[in-house]
């Protein structure tokens, strides 16, 4: 099995301290307001962020990814290819909960990276995470947001380009998703350019949660061709925008350190629904490349 690349090497002690902090709000769901556009972004690309914060990977931000090993030595058969990659472009403390969802849908327990669904498929994943803590006095993790269509991380783009499908996880506010006062704020917006994938996501997630279509919310639609979710081998993919309240319902602890080990039954239910949609998509007729 190929290694898991985890550049979060400096924060181990600091994250342990956060778990017992009496002021966790700055790393919790209410720490930053979700933003679905580039308005207010300090960085116009990932490259811009990496250069500006040179030497700060593992301190202010982190990248994690895994590519599963493929091997084909059969001359008469098609070479294998990656079918589905899961992404969280604004993980960690930026759009909280999306890192853990990315790992869960990929098939991993967020805290131990053991199999969450033993015997079931494991998917490639890529994520960018905001790692700033209040004690660092470095500003908000929200300042590390790079809107999806401006993502130019070479690993992220190459993983999307070599996959048939991408499912990208994002966070939004209930108001951005059209929820009015007095309505249940737990909602997920289904977007992306893959109409078949969207239909399956609506069907599977709709069994348990309120889903709305991204076509009704242009800022959340995930239809820009430069968005990595659509930079696949098929030129289309899926995107989910989860409201703050929905993401909060998946965890029993609302801190950067606490979330990975405090996922609950709602988390596994949501993750399982996404995986069912992926399995049905992968069984479809457009999933064969000659």
């Amino acid at each position: 099995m190929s290694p898991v690349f985890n550049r979060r090497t400096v924060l181990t002690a600091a994250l342990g301290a956060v778990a017992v902090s009496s002021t966790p709000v700055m790393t919790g769901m209410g720490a930053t307001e979700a933003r679905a556009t580039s308005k207010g972004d300090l960085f116009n690309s990932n490259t811009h962020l990496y250069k500006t914060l040179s030497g700060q990977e593992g301190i202010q931000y982190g990248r994690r990814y895994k590519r599963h090993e493929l091997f084909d030595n059969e001359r008469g058969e098609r070479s294998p290819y990656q079918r589905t990659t899961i992404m969280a472009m604004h993980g960690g403390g930026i759009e909280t909960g999306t890192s853990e969802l990315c790992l869960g849908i990929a098939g991993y327990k967020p805290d131990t990276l053991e199999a969450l669904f033993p015997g079931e498929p494991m998917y490639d994943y890529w994520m960018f995470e905001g790692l700033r803590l209040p004690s660092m006095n470095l500003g908000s993790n929200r300042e590390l947001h790079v809107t999806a269509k401006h993502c130019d991380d070479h690993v992220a783009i190459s993983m999307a380009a070599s996959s048939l499908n991408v499912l990208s996880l994002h966070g939004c506010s209930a108001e951005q998703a059209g929820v009015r006062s007095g309505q249940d704020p737990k909602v997920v917006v289904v977007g992306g350019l893959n109409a078949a994938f969207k239909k399956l996501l609506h069907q599977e997630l709709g069994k348990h949660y309120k889903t709305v279509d991204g076509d009704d919310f242009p800022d959340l639609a995930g239809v820009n061709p430069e968005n990595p979710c659509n930079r696949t081998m098929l030129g289309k993919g899926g995107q989910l925008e989860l409201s703050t309240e929905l993401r909060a319902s998946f965890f029993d602890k609302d801190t950067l350190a606490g979330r990975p080990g405090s996922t609950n039954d709602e988390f596994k239910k949501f993750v399982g629904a996404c995986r069912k949609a992926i399995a049905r998509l992968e069984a479809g007729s457009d999933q064969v490349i000659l």
Side-chain angles (χ1 to χ4, degrees):
M1 181 175 291
S2 57
V4 176
F5 293 85
N6 184 348
R7 295 180 175 85
R8 197 187 314 196
T9 57
V10 181
L11 285 178
T12 303
L15 287 175
V18 153
V20 297
S21 171
S22 60
T23 57
V25 64
M26 291 301 291
T27 57
M29 296 291 174
T32 56
E33 180 182 356
R35 187 178 299 164
T37 69
S38 60
K39 183 180 179 180
D41 279 1
L42 297 181
F43 305 102
N44 56 31
S45 68
N46 287 69
T47 297
H48 182 204
L49 184 150
Y50 301 155
K51 289 182 177 180
T52 303
L53 300 181
S54 178
Q56 294 299 297
E57 185 166 5
I59 302 173
Q60 296 197 47
Y61 72 91
R63 289 175 285 179
R64 288 194 281 169
Y65 62 90
K66 182 168 185 176
R67 276 178 159 154
H68 295 80
E69 184 177 9
L70 293 177
F71 178 75
D72 180 17
N73 197 34
E74 296 294 330
R75 292 174 176 170
E77 302 291 336
R78 288 174 302 189
S79 297
Y81 45 82
Q82 301 294 357
R83 288 184 176 272
T84 301
T85 294
I86 316 301
M87 292 187 164
M89 298 177 206
H90 309 129
I94 305 173
E95 292 170 358
T96 47
T98 56
S99 290
E100 293 77 18
L101 287 166
C102 178
L103 289 168
I105 296 171
Y108 293 92
K109 294 181 180 179
D111 55 342
T112 65
L113 297 183
E114 297 173 347
L116 182 59
F117 302 93
E120 294 188 14
M122 312 289 269
Y123 301 110
D124 289 2
Y125 62 82
W126 180 92
M127 68 184 78
F128 175 89
E129 299 179 287
L131 302 180
R132 290 174 172 177
L133 300 174
S135 58
M136 295 176 176
N137 295 317
L138 294 173
S140 168
N141 278 299
R142 179 60 193 80
E143 296 173 351
L144 303 175
H145 181 280
V146 176
T147 196
K149 66 182 180 181
H150 293 163
C151 176
D152 63 350
D153 183 278
H154 296 303
V155 174
I157 298 305
S158 68
M159 291 181 71
S162 60
S163 302
L164 284 176
N165 318 306
V166 163
L167 180 60
S168 186
L169 290 308
H170 294 262
C172 67
S173 68
E175 183 180 11
Q176 287 173 314
V179 177
R180 298 180 180 179
S181 177
Q183 295 179 327
D184 186 351
K186 295 191 288 294
V187 62
V188 56
V189 182
V190 182
L193 286 175
N194 192 326
F197 198 9
K198 286 177 60 179
K199 181 178 180 180
L200 294 171
L201 288 165
H202 274 296
Q203 289 176 352
E204 295 299 338
L205 288 169
K207 296 175 182 178
H208 312 287
Y209 307 97
K210 178 183 178 181
T211 68
V212 297
D213 200 278
D215 291 345
D216 297 327
F217 303 93
D219 287 344
L220 308 178
V223 295
N224 191 295
E226 295 302 308
N227 185 325
C229 81
N230 297 318
R231 298 181 69 171
T232 66
M233 295 170 72
L234 299 175
K236 56 186 179 179
Q239 176 175 293
L240 299 178
E241 294 265 4
L242 290 78
S243 68
T244 303
E245 291 80 5
L246 180 59
R247 285 175 282 131
S249 71
F250 299 149
F251 309 96
D252 296 329
K253 293 182 180 179
D254 187 13
T255 63
L256 188 62
R259 278 187 294 272
S262 69
T263 58
N264 55 32
D265 290 342
E266 285 298 310
F267 174 88
K268 197 166 185 178
K269 183 166 66 176
F270 186 94
V271 163
C274 291
R275 287 173 61 86
K276 286 182 181 178
I278 292 170
R280 292 177 63 189
L281 180 71
E282 290 185 347
S285 59
D286 70 344
Q287 298 298 290
V288 176
I289 292 184
L290 301 177

